[in-house]
Amino acid sequence: MDDFTGRLTRDGIRIHNPDDFAGMHRAGALAAEILDRVAPMVEPGATTGAIDAQIEAWVKEAGATSATIGYRGYQHASCISVNHVVCHGIPGEKKLKNGDILNIDVTVIVDGWFGDTSRMYVAGTIGRKAERLVQVTHDALFKGIEAVKPGNTFGDIGHAIQSYVEAQRMSVVRDFCGHGLGQVFHAPPNVVHYGRPGKGPVLEEGMFFTIEPMVNLGRPETKVLADDWTAVTRDKSLSAQFEHSIGVTADGFEIFTLSPAGKFHPTWA
Ligand code: MF3
Ligand code: CO
Ligand code: CO
């Protein structure tokens, strides 16, 4: 036994109770609202450190806790990953330039529940290849989400994402994955963004997890820089990512991290 609600499957995946959806909804809504509010700050000349400081202030103002500050020694309320940074970019003094694309990833804890979401932003005017990458990555996330319903498998999710991305002649990062979450940040299963139909654990009502595909314009390989966090594409090609926290319902899914302002996609910002 542990202190958490629900039960575990044989694969160690937690099945949450119907009441738990409300907690996830509150946490997810706050994370998404913070990503909405940050949009006007993203412009050439802004530093990623200033954006992160504002995010940290908003988390506190809401009476919530940042899940990333103190997580394995990480010291910031967000990860901000610019251009060829795949994920886990550390906010700092570097200024955004016209044409940069960036992912901002925020995880908050509200009444013990974790809301984890990220989306792409653009600084100024971006190039056509960058725009296509952002669009394909966004659409790949939704291909994955549409595969979420009881009876489907995690392999179905990965396959939906991988087959879509590769048909666009882009690549899916394999070195990082989505994850179960709920009253913990990272729990089983690893939600990989590639796979084969029918493989992997079967989805059941009450499972909570993220889907967060990272897509590269070039090759899929990554490396982690000397700071032990920043993951970049080995070939320096542009990379994009979108992330939602999802719950499996009786007939499909609930997205906990929907944008209250409808600003998940950057061209709508
Ligand atoms: N939010 C990230 C995820 O999607 C994890 C960030 S951990 C950090 O799982 F320490 F780098 F912030
Ligand atoms: Co995240
Ligand atoms: Co995540």
Side-chain angles (χ1 to χ4, degrees):
M1 282 296 287
D2 55 38
D3 294 333
F4 301 124
T5 128
R7 64 180 173 87
L8 294 180
T9 67
R10 281 183 309 179
D11 298 303
I13 303 170
R14 186 163 298 280
I15 306 299
H16 297 86
N17 298 320
D19 287 351
D20 299 340
F21 281 76
M24 287 300 285
H25 182 94
R26 288 197 304 276
L30 176 64
E33 191 212 311
I34 288 171
L35 289 187
D36 284 352
R37 289 167 74 179
V38 91
M41 289 187 75
V42 178
E43 52 185 13
T47 71
T48 55
I51 292 170
D52 178 74
Q54 181 59 255
I55 290 171
E56 183 176 346
W58 282 329
V59 173
K60 290 203 179 113
E61 218 174 273
T65 305
S66 163
T68 54
I69 297 174
Y71 177 78
R72 299 189 183 193
Y74 195 78
Q75 295 180 0
H76 303 274
S78 64
C79 297
I80 304 185
S81 303
V82 183
N83 293 336
H84 76 299
V85 178
V86 172
C87 63
H88 302 164
I90 302 175
E93 291 315 302
K94 231 181 111 178
K95 288 189 166 82
L96 297 174
K97 306 182 307 295
N98 184 53
D100 283 348
I101 62 168
L102 53 148
N103 174 279
I104 304 182
D105 189 339
V106 170
T107 310
V108 298
I109 313 171
V110 176
D111 300 332
W113 295 97
F114 284 68
D116 184 6
T117 182
S118 79
R119 64 178 84 149
M120 295 302 290
Y121 298 81
V122 303
T125 315
I126 65 170
R128 276 181 46 214
K129 280 187 177 168
E131 197 175 305
R132 236 189 106 234
L133 172 67
V134 170
Q135 185 70 50
V136 166
T137 309
H138 172 275
D139 293 351
L141 168 61
F142 282 89
K143 300 274 179 197
I145 291 173
E146 281 158 21
V148 175
K149 65 171 179 197
N152 278 5
T153 70
F154 282 95
D156 293 331
I157 298 173
H159 176 76
I161 293 167
Q162 181 186 13
S163 56
Y164 176 70
V165 168
E166 292 179 353
Q168 312 299 317
R169 303 187 148 275
M170 298 180 194
S171 65
V172 173
V173 169
R174 291 169 180 254
D175 300 336
F176 300 92
C177 57
H179 48 91
L181 84 172
Q183 291 164 298
V184 294
F185 196 171
H186 293 112
N190 286 335
V191 181
V192 301
H193 304 108
Y194 55 89
R196 297 165 69 103
K199 299 291 183 186
V202 176
L203 300 175
E204 292 181 46
E205 183 179 357
M207 288 180 175
F208 298 164
F209 52 86
T210 71
I211 306 178
E212 47 182 299
M214 287 141 276
V215 175
N216 299 346
L217 272 183
R219 295 194 48 81
E221 290 81 10
T222 70
K223 68 176 179 190
V224 175
L225 299 186
D227 61 24
D228 278 342
W229 283 105
T230 313
V232 299
T233 54
R234 279 194 173 265
D235 65 5
K236 305 258 173 46
S237 67
L238 283 181
S239 187
Q241 178 178 30
F242 286 84
E243 175 177 26
H244 269 317
S245 296
I246 310 283
V248 183
T249 62
D251 55 4
F253 56 83
E254 177 180 347
I255 301 176
F256 297 126
T257 44
L258 281 177
S259 161
K263 292 204 285 193
F264 192 65
H265 189 292
T267 60
W268 303 332

